[in-house]
Amino acid sequence: MTPVSLAPVLLVLGDEELLATRAVAGAVEAAKTADPGVDVHDHEAGALNPGEIAELLGPSLFGGRRVLIVRAGQDARKDLVAVLLAYAKNPDPEVHLVVAHAGGAKGKAFADGLRAAGAEVVPAAKLKGHRDRVSFVRDEVRRGGGRCTEDAAEALLAAVGNDLRELASACSQLLADTDGRIGADTVARYYRGRAEVSGFTVADAAMAGDLPGALEALRWALHVGVDPVPVADAIADGVRTVARVSSAGRGSAYQLASSLGMPAWKIEKAQRVGRGWSPEGLADAMYAAAECNAAVKGGADDRGYALERAVVAVVAARKASVSR
C-alpha cells in the first residue's frame, strides 16, 4: 500500500479507480496505525445531508480517532458542500475527513474550496500518456520490492493492455513467481501468445523485414479470433508512422513530438525502423497497405489472404529499399 499521510483533511482528486481506492485505503491504514480502534465511516456524497455530516464530524462521546470518507464528492449538494468547506477550515484533530472527487468540471468549486482550505491533495487522475503507464508498471514492481527494466514494462503493456488493475495484478504475479528482477525475457515467458496476437506486432515485424515473424504472428492472431480490420489498420499505421517521421528530417524525438503530434517513444521507434527504408520503398508499402484496407473492409472473400499478401508486399518493399 502506498503510504498516505494522516492529514486532517485529504482530497483524493481524479477518476482512476485503482489510484483513488488505494489513496483512500492508505488514509484509513494510516489512521489505524495511529489508533487501532479508529472509527471509520464510509458514505456517498449524494446520500448525505448536512445534519448527518455535522454529527459525523462532531466530537465523539467516547473519545478516540475517527475517519469520515466521503466518496463521489463531485455529487455533493450545495448545502453539504458549505458544511464540509466550513469544517475543512478548522478541522478537529481527532477526526480525519477524506473526500474522493473525480475531478473535472462537475463539483469543481468543492474541490477548489478544499484545496484552498489547506486539504492535502493526492492525485488520482487517469494515466493518459504511454510514458506514464510505463512509469506506473516500473513503480508497481518497485513497490513490491522488485526491479523492472523499461523494455520489460513496454512488453507488459503490449501483452496486458492499459487497464491499471490488470497491470497491477500482472506485476504482482510476476513478483510472486520470480526473484523480483523482471526483464523483457521474463514477460515474454509469461505472456507468450497474448503479446503475439496484437495487430501492431504483425506490423512491427513486417516493417522490420521479418517475414517469418510477421506471418507467424498474423496466423496466430487469426487463429485465436482477432478481427482482421484492426490488423489491417495496424499495418497501415505502421507504414504511415515511419513515412511521416522519415519525412520530418533529423532531430530528437522530443523535438519532433509536438510538430508531429506523436509521443516521443513512438517517434524513436519509427526512427530506428526508418533507417532501413527508402522513400520509394515506403511508397510501395503504403500502396500495399491501402489495397489491404480496401480488401479487408470491403468484404473480401478471404480477408486472411489479403492480410498475408500485404505483409509479403511490405517486407518486399523494405528489402527493395535496402538494395537501392
Side-chain angles (χ1 to χ4, degrees):
M1 186 72 64
T2 302
V4 177
S5 67
L6 192 57
V9 181
L10 187 73
L11 172 62
V12 180
L13 191 61
D15 57 351
E16 176 52 66
E17 184 183 353
L18 175 65
L19 300 181
T21 299
R22 282 184 172 178
V24 172
V28 173
E29 183 179 324
K32 287 183 176 179
T33 299
D35 178 3
V38 65
D39 192 14
V40 180
H41 297 267
D42 196 331
H43 297 273
E44 293 288 327
L48 280 171
N49 61 57
E52 290 174 306
I53 280 289
E55 183 179 341
L56 291 167
L57 292 174
S60 170
L61 293 175
F62 306 102
R65 197 178 297 270
R66 183 186 303 163
V67 176
L68 171 59
I69 302 165
V70 178
R71 298 185 186 272
Q74 69 278 0
D75 296 332
R77 297 186 300 273
K78 289 184 179 180
D79 52 358
L80 181 64
V81 168
V83 171
L84 289 172
L85 290 181
Y87 172 82
K89 293 175 183 177
N90 187 27
D92 186 323
E94 293 297 307
V95 180
H96 303 281
L97 173 63
V98 180
V99 177
H101 190 294
K106 186 179 182 182
K108 185 175 183 298
F110 183 25
D112 291 345
L114 287 172
R115 188 187 281 110
E120 180 174 327
V121 180
V122 178
K126 288 189 183 297
L127 305 184
K128 296 181 179 178
H130 179 80
R131 299 307 310 169
D132 290 337
R133 287 187 283 271
V134 169
S135 296
F136 171 82
V137 170
R138 300 189 73 186
D139 289 343
E140 192 71 12
V141 172
R142 195 175 297 117
R143 285 176 66 247
R147 295 174 60 189
C148 177
T149 62
E150 184 165 342
D151 57 347
E154 294 272 10
L156 194 62
L157 282 163
V160 176
N162 293 332
D163 183 84
L164 293 199
R165 285 192 181 279
E166 290 192 13
L167 286 169
S169 176
C171 290
S172 177
Q173 188 63 53
L174 286 169
L175 284 167
D177 293 341
T178 67
D179 62 0
R181 291 174 293 184
I182 298 171
D185 57 335
T186 315
V187 178
R189 285 197 305 272
Y190 275 77
Y191 293 94
R192 188 170 183 84
R194 288 191 66 177
E196 291 175 348
V197 302
S198 164
F200 290 103
T201 305
V202 177
D204 288 348
M207 292 301 292
D210 179 7
L211 182 58
L215 289 176
E216 180 186 357
L218 172 61
R219 288 163 186 164
W220 176 248
L222 296 175
H223 174 71
V224 298
V226 174
D227 192 305
V229 171
V231 180
D233 285 339
I235 294 172
D237 180 73
V239 178
R240 282 196 303 267
T241 298
V242 172
R244 285 186 64 198
V245 172
S246 297
S247 65
R250 295 183 178 179
S252 75
Y254 293 96
Q255 289 172 330
L256 295 173
S258 58
S259 61
L260 292 177
M262 295 183 196
W265 68 267
K266 192 172 185 178
I267 294 174
E268 287 177 346
K269 182 178 177 181
Q271 286 175 329
R272 289 194 301 270
V273 174
R275 296 188 187 106
W277 283 89
S278 68
E280 295 81 6
L282 285 170
D284 291 343
M286 289 181 75
Y287 180 77
E291 273 199 328
C292 176
N293 256 282
V296 169
K297 296 176 182 178
D301 292 336
D302 190 341
R303 298 194 294 172
Y305 174 70
L307 287 168
E308 286 198 8
R309 190 172 58 186
V311 165
V312 171
V314 169
V315 172
R318 187 183 188 280
K319 288 184 177 178
S321 295
V322 173
S323 63
R324 282 182 173 124

